[in-house]
PDB file of all heavy atoms in Angstrom:
ATOM      1  N   ILE A  40     -97.137-108.632-128.761  1.00 98.00           N
ATOM      2  CA  ILE A  40     -98.280-108.921-127.892  1.00 98.00           C
ATOM      3  C   ILE A  40     -98.231-107.883-126.764  1.00 98.00           C
ATOM      4  O   ILE A  40     -97.242-107.952-125.869  1.00 98.00           O
ATOM      5  CB  ILE A  40     -98.255-110.307-127.401  1.00 98.00           C
ATOM      6  CG1 ILE A  40     -98.174-111.308-128.542  1.00 98.00           C
ATOM      7  CG2 ILE A  40     -99.472-110.650-126.506  1.00 98.00           C
ATOM      8  CD1 ILE A  40     -98.164-112.740-128.091  1.00 98.00           C
ATOM      9  N   ALA A  41     -99.155-106.966-126.735  1.00 98.00           N
ATOM     10  CA  ALA A  41     -99.201-105.927-125.707  1.00 98.00           C
ATOM     11  C   ALA A  41    -100.400-106.186-124.800  1.00 98.00           C
ATOM     12  O   ALA A  41    -101.545-106.335-125.298  1.00 98.00           O
ATOM     13  CB  ALA A  41     -99.308-104.575-126.380  1.00 98.00           C
ATOM     14  N   VAL A  42    -100.193-106.088-123.498  1.00 98.00           N
ATOM     15  CA  VAL A  42    -101.237-106.317-122.565  1.00 98.00           C
ATOM     16  C   VAL A  42    -101.531-105.015-121.796  1.00 98.00           C
ATOM     17  O   VAL A  42    -100.691-104.469-121.236  1.00 98.00           O
ATOM     18  CB  VAL A  42    -100.830-107.399-121.487  1.00 98.00           C
ATOM     19  CG1 VAL A  42    -102.033-107.690-120.643  1.00 98.00           C
ATOM     20  CG2 VAL A  42    -100.382-108.657-122.249  1.00 98.00           C
ATOM     21  N   ASP A  43    -102.818-104.604-121.939  1.00 98.00           N
ATOM     22  CA  ASP A  43    -103.270-103.480-121.209  1.00 98.00           C
ATOM     23  C   ASP A  43    -103.682-104.020-119.797  1.00 98.00           C
ATOM     24  O   ASP A  43    -104.631-104.753-119.623  1.00 98.00           O
ATOM     25  CB  ASP A  43    -104.508-102.885-121.839  1.00 98.00           C
ATOM     26  CG  ASP A  43    -105.234-101.857-120.978  1.00 98.00           C
ATOM     27  OD1 ASP A  43    -104.644-101.393-120.034  1.00 98.00           O
ATOM     28  OD2 ASP A  43    -106.438-101.538-121.276  1.00 98.00           O
ATOM     29  N   ASN A  44    -102.874-103.666-118.775  1.00 96.00           N
ATOM     30  CA  ASN A  44    -103.063-104.182-117.447  1.00 96.00           C
ATOM     31  C   ASN A  44    -103.830-103.304-116.543  1.00 96.00           C
ATOM     32  O   ASN A  44    -103.307-102.551-115.778  1.00 96.00           O
ATOM     33  CB  ASN A  44    -101.614-104.568-116.848  1.00 96.00           C
ATOM     34  CG  ASN A  44    -101.688-105.312-115.563  1.00 96.00           C
ATOM     35  OD1 ASN A  44    -100.834-105.182-114.721  1.00 96.00           O
ATOM     36  ND2 ASN A  44    -102.776-105.990-115.261  1.00 96.00           N
ATOM     37  N   ASN A  45    -105.090-103.418-116.753  1.00 94.00           N
ATOM     38  CA  ASN A  45    -106.084-102.696-115.820  1.00 94.00           C
ATOM     39  C   ASN A  45    -105.872-101.181-115.906  1.00 94.00           C
ATOM     40  O   ASN A  45    -106.064-100.517-114.852  1.00 94.00           O
ATOM     41  CB  ASN A  45    -105.935-103.250-114.328  1.00 94.00           C
ATOM     42  CG  ASN A  45    -107.157-102.945-113.562  1.00 94.00           C
ATOM     43  OD1 ASN A  45    -108.310-103.029-114.051  1.00 94.00           O
ATOM     44  ND2 ASN A  45    -106.968-102.557-112.332  1.00 94.00           N
ATOM     45  N   SER A  46    -105.604-100.682-117.059  1.00 95.00           N
ATOM     46  CA  SER A  46    -105.344 -99.239-117.183  1.00 95.00           C
ATOM     47  C   SER A  46    -106.732 -98.452-117.119  1.00 95.00           C
ATOM     48  O   SER A  46    -107.771 -99.002-117.413  1.00 95.00           O
ATOM     49  CB  SER A  46    -104.693 -98.856-118.502  1.00 95.00           C
ATOM     50  OG  SER A  46    -103.415 -99.474-118.535  1.00 95.00           O
ATOM     51  N   ASN A  47    -106.611 -97.200-116.789  1.00 93.00           N
ATOM     52  CA  ASN A  47    -107.779 -96.299-116.788  1.00 93.00           C
ATOM     53  C   ASN A  47    -107.559 -94.972-117.545  1.00 93.00           C
ATOM     54  O   ASN A  47    -108.173 -93.974-117.248  1.00 93.00           O
ATOM     55  CB  ASN A  47    -108.344 -96.050-115.376  1.00 93.00           C
ATOM     56  CG  ASN A  47    -107.268 -95.479-114.455  1.00 93.00           C
ATOM     57  OD1 ASN A  47    -106.337 -94.854-114.884  1.00 93.00           O
ATOM     58  ND2 ASN A  47    -107.421 -95.781-113.139  1.00 93.00           N
ATOM     59  N   ASP A  48    -106.585 -94.963-118.432  1.00 93.00           N
ATOM     60  CA  ASP A  48    -106.125 -93.750-119.039  1.00 93.00           C
ATOM     61  C   ASP A  48    -106.175 -93.748-120.591  1.00 93.00           C
ATOM     62  O   ASP A  48    -105.584 -92.904-121.211  1.00 93.00           O
ATOM     63  CB  ASP A  48    -104.670 -93.380-118.600  1.00 93.00           C
ATOM     64  CG  ASP A  48    -103.673 -94.299-119.247  1.00 93.00           C
ATOM     65  OD1 ASP A  48    -104.076 -95.459-119.667  1.00 93.00           O
ATOM     66  OD2 ASP A  48    -102.546 -93.975-119.273  1.00 93.00           O
ATOM     67  N   GLY A  49    -106.841 -94.711-121.167  1.00 93.00           N
ATOM     68  CA  GLY A  49    -106.809 -94.765-122.587  1.00 93.00           C
ATOM     69  C   GLY A  49    -105.732 -95.615-123.242  1.00 93.00           C
ATOM     70  O   GLY A  49    -105.411 -95.487-124.501  1.00 93.00           O
ATOM     71  N   THR A  50    -105.024 -96.359-122.424  1.00 97.00           N
ATOM     72  CA  THR A  50    -103.940 -97.206-123.033  1.00 97.00           C
ATOM     73  C   THR A  50    -104.434 -98.169-124.058  1.00 97.00           C
ATOM     74  O   THR A  50    -103.807 -98.343-125.115  1.00 97.00           O
ATOM     75  CB  THR A  50    -103.349 -98.039-121.806  1.00 97.00           C
ATOM     76  OG1 THR A  50    -102.602 -97.189-120.969  1.00 97.00           O
ATOM     77  CG2 THR A  50    -102.360 -99.123-122.398  1.00 97.00           C
ATOM     78  N   PHE A  51    -105.591 -98.814-123.823  1.00 97.00           N
ATOM     79  CA  PHE A  51    -106.077 -99.725-124.845  1.00 97.00           C
ATOM     80  C   PHE A  51    -106.379 -99.017-126.215  1.00 97.00           C
ATOM     81  O   PHE A  51    -106.064 -99.501-127.259  1.00 97.00           O
ATOM     82  CB  PHE A  51    -107.379-100.443-124.322  1.00 97.00           C
ATOM     83  CG  PHE A  51    -107.920-101.444-125.247  1.00 97.00           C
ATOM     84  CD1 PHE A  51    -107.445-102.736-125.288  1.00 97.00           C
ATOM     85  CD2 PHE A  51    -108.975-101.173-126.152  1.00 97.00           C
ATOM     86  CE1 PHE A  51    -107.980-103.722-126.133  1.00 97.00           C
ATOM     87  CE2 PHE A  51    -109.515-102.103-127.055  1.00 97.00           C
ATOM     88  CZ  PHE A  51    -108.978-103.366-126.962  1.00 97.00           C
ATOM     89  N   ASP A  52    -106.976 -97.871-126.063  1.00 97.00           N
ATOM     90  CA  ASP A  52    -107.371 -97.116-127.339  1.00 97.00           C
ATOM     91  C   ASP A  52    -106.033 -96.696-128.050  1.00 97.00           C
ATOM     92  O   ASP A  52    -106.013 -96.732-129.314  1.00 97.00           O
ATOM     93  CB  ASP A  52    -108.102 -95.867-126.962  1.00 97.00           C
ATOM     94  CG  ASP A  52    -109.515 -96.210-126.397  1.00 97.00           C
ATOM     95  OD1 ASP A  52    -110.036 -97.282-126.696  1.00 97.00           O
ATOM     96  OD2 ASP A  52    -110.110 -95.344-125.677  1.00 97.00           O
ATOM     97  N   LEU A  53    -105.004 -96.336-127.295  1.00 98.00           N
ATOM     98  CA  LEU A  53    -103.749 -95.992-127.892  1.00 98.00           C
ATOM     99  C   LEU A  53    -103.190 -97.131-128.632  1.00 98.00           C
ATOM    100  O   LEU A  53    -102.728 -97.093-129.777  1.00 98.00           O
ATOM    101  CB  LEU A  53    -102.806 -95.370-126.906  1.00 98.00           C
ATOM    102  CG  LEU A  53    -101.343 -95.044-127.434  1.00 98.00           C
ATOM    103  CD1 LEU A  53    -101.445 -94.035-128.553  1.00 98.00           C
ATOM    104  CD2 LEU A  53    -100.475 -94.577-126.296  1.00 98.00           C
ATOM    105  N   LEU A  54    -103.213 -98.316-127.978  1.00 98.00           N
ATOM    106  CA  LEU A  54    -102.646 -99.550-128.651  1.00 98.00           C
ATOM    107  C   LEU A  54    -103.379 -99.819-129.926  1.00 98.00           C
ATOM    108  O   LEU A  54    -102.803-100.195-130.985  1.00 98.00           O
ATOM    109  CB  LEU A  54    -102.764-100.721-127.685  1.00 98.00           C
ATOM    110  CG  LEU A  54    -101.748-100.679-126.434  1.00 98.00           C
ATOM    111  CD1 LEU A  54    -102.175-101.693-125.442  1.00 98.00           C
ATOM    112  CD2 LEU A  54    -100.330-100.821-126.853  1.00 98.00           C
ATOM    113  N   GLU A  55    -104.691 -99.632-129.943  1.00 98.00           N
ATOM    114  CA  GLU A  55    -105.492 -99.944-131.079  1.00 98.00           C
ATOM    115  C   GLU A  55    -105.147 -99.063-132.281  1.00 98.00           C
ATOM    116  O   GLU A  55    -105.335 -99.457-133.435  1.00 98.00           O
ATOM    117  CB  GLU A  55    -106.961 -99.818-130.789  1.00 98.00           C
ATOM    118  CG  GLU A  55    -107.573-101.044-130.090  1.00 98.00           C
ATOM    119  CD  GLU A  55    -109.022-101.054-130.128  1.00 98.00           C
ATOM    120  OE1 GLU A  55    -109.692-100.015-129.974  1.00 98.00           O
ATOM    121  OE2 GLU A  55    -109.581-102.160-130.354  1.00 98.00           O
ATOM    122  N   THR A  56    -104.718 -97.782-132.006  1.00 98.00           N
ATOM    123  CA  THR A  56    -104.308 -96.954-133.164  1.00 98.00           C
ATOM    124  C   THR A  56    -103.170 -97.450-133.898  1.00 98.00           C
ATOM    125  O   THR A  56    -102.848 -96.953-134.956  1.00 98.00           O
ATOM    126  CB  THR A  56    -104.107 -95.512-132.611  1.00 98.00           C
ATOM    127  OG1 THR A  56    -102.935 -95.449-131.795  1.00 98.00           O
ATOM    128  CG2 THR A  56    -105.242 -94.964-131.845  1.00 98.00           C
ATOM    129  N   TYR A  57    -102.391 -98.411-133.331  1.00 98.00           N
ATOM    130  CA  TYR A  57    -101.219 -98.923-134.033  1.00 98.00           C
ATOM    131  C   TYR A  57    -101.526-100.260-134.747  1.00 98.00           C
ATOM    132  O   TYR A  57    -100.616-100.920-135.242  1.00 98.00           O
ATOM    133  CB  TYR A  57    -100.098 -99.136-133.070  1.00 98.00           C
ATOM    134  CG  TYR A  57     -99.391 -97.762-132.699  1.00 98.00           C
ATOM    135  CD1 TYR A  57    -100.004 -96.949-131.688  1.00 98.00           C
ATOM    136  CD2 TYR A  57     -98.212 -97.465-133.295  1.00 98.00           C
ATOM    137  CE1 TYR A  57     -99.366 -95.739-131.422  1.00 98.00           C
ATOM    138  CE2 TYR A  57     -97.588 -96.277-132.921  1.00 98.00           C
ATOM    139  CZ  TYR A  57     -98.225 -95.399-132.028  1.00 98.00           C
ATOM    140  OH  TYR A  57     -97.613 -94.211-131.699  1.00 98.00           O
ATOM    141  N   SER A  58    -102.752-100.615-134.772  1.00 98.00           N
ATOM    142  CA  SER A  58    -103.108-101.928-135.371  1.00 98.00           C
ATOM    143  C   SER A  58    -102.734-102.031-136.840  1.00 98.00           C
ATOM    144  O   SER A  58    -102.452-103.166-137.367  1.00 98.00           O
ATOM    145  CB  SER A  58    -104.615-102.265-135.206  1.00 98.00           C
ATOM    146  OG  SER A  58    -104.923-102.376-133.867  1.00 98.00           O
ATOM    147  N   ASP A  59    -102.758-100.891-137.581  1.00 97.00           N
ATOM    148  CA  ASP A  59    -102.370-100.915-138.977  1.00 97.00           C
ATOM    149  C   ASP A  59    -100.925-100.639-139.216  1.00 97.00           C
ATOM    150  O   ASP A  59    -100.413-100.558-140.383  1.00 97.00           O
ATOM    151  CB  ASP A  59    -103.258 -99.946-139.748  1.00 97.00           C
ATOM    152  CG  ASP A  59    -103.157 -98.508-139.304  1.00 97.00           C
ATOM    153  OD1 ASP A  59    -102.549 -98.304-138.180  1.00 97.00           O
ATOM    154  OD2 ASP A  59    -103.599 -97.681-139.998  1.00 97.00           O
ATOM    155  N   LYS A  60    -100.171-100.432-138.119  1.00 98.00           N
ATOM    156  CA  LYS A  60     -98.724-100.020-138.251  1.00 98.00           C
ATOM    157  C   LYS A  60     -97.804-101.128-137.728  1.00 98.00           C
ATOM    158  O   LYS A  60     -96.584-101.119-137.997  1.00 98.00           O
ATOM    159  CB  LYS A  60     -98.464 -98.734-137.496  1.00 98.00           C
ATOM    160  CG  LYS A  60     -99.298 -97.520-137.865  1.00 98.00           C
ATOM    161  CD  LYS A  60     -99.036 -96.402-136.897  1.00 98.00           C
ATOM    162  CE  LYS A  60    -100.042 -95.277-137.133  1.00 98.00           C
ATOM    163  NZ  LYS A  60     -99.850 -94.143-136.103  1.00 98.00           N
ATOM    164  N   LEU A  61     -98.317-101.984-136.865  1.00 98.00           N
ATOM    165  CA  LEU A  61     -97.536-103.028-136.222  1.00 98.00           C
ATOM    166  C   LEU A  61     -98.247-104.362-136.267  1.00 98.00           C
ATOM    167  O   LEU A  61     -99.447-104.451-136.331  1.00 98.00           O
ATOM    168  CB  LEU A  61     -97.307-102.643-134.697  1.00 98.00           C
ATOM    169  CG  LEU A  61     -96.413-101.512-134.410  1.00 98.00           C
ATOM    170  CD1 LEU A  61     -96.545-101.109-132.986  1.00 98.00           C
ATOM    171  CD2 LEU A  61     -94.981-101.836-134.692  1.00 98.00           C
ATOM    172  N   PRO A  62     -97.469-105.475-136.248  1.00 98.00           N
ATOM    173  CA  PRO A  62     -98.088-106.786-136.196  1.00 98.00           C
ATOM    174  C   PRO A  62     -98.487-107.109-134.755  1.00 98.00           C
ATOM    175  O   PRO A  62     -97.936-107.986-134.080  1.00 98.00           O
ATOM    176  CB  PRO A  62     -96.969-107.752-136.620  1.00 98.00           C
ATOM    177  CG  PRO A  62     -95.673-107.016-136.262  1.00 98.00           C
ATOM    178  CD  PRO A  62     -95.967-105.511-136.366  1.00 98.00           C
ATOM    179  N   ILE A  63     -99.509-106.404-134.287  1.00 98.00           N
ATOM    180  CA  ILE A  63     -99.820-106.317-132.878  1.00 98.00           C
ATOM    181  C   ILE A  63    -101.065-107.124-132.478  1.00 98.00           C
ATOM    182  O   ILE A  63    -102.059-107.150-133.213  1.00 98.00           O
ATOM    183  CB  ILE A  63     -99.997-104.891-132.426  1.00 98.00           C
ATOM    184  CG1 ILE A  63    -100.111-104.775-130.889  1.00 98.00           C
ATOM    185  CG2 ILE A  63    -101.176-104.201-133.104  1.00 98.00           C
ATOM    186  CD1 ILE A  63    -100.089-103.289-130.365  1.00 98.00           C
TER     187      ILE A  63
END
Side-chain angles (χ1 to χ4, degrees):
I40 304 178
V42 186
D43 171 16
N44 186 204
N45 200 40
S46 300
N47 55 27
D48 71 339
T50 290
F51 184 83
D52 293 337
L53 176 59
L54 290 169
E55 280 198 317
T56 66
Y57 283 80
S58 294
D59 60 346
K60 305 173 189 176
L61 290 168
I63 188 171

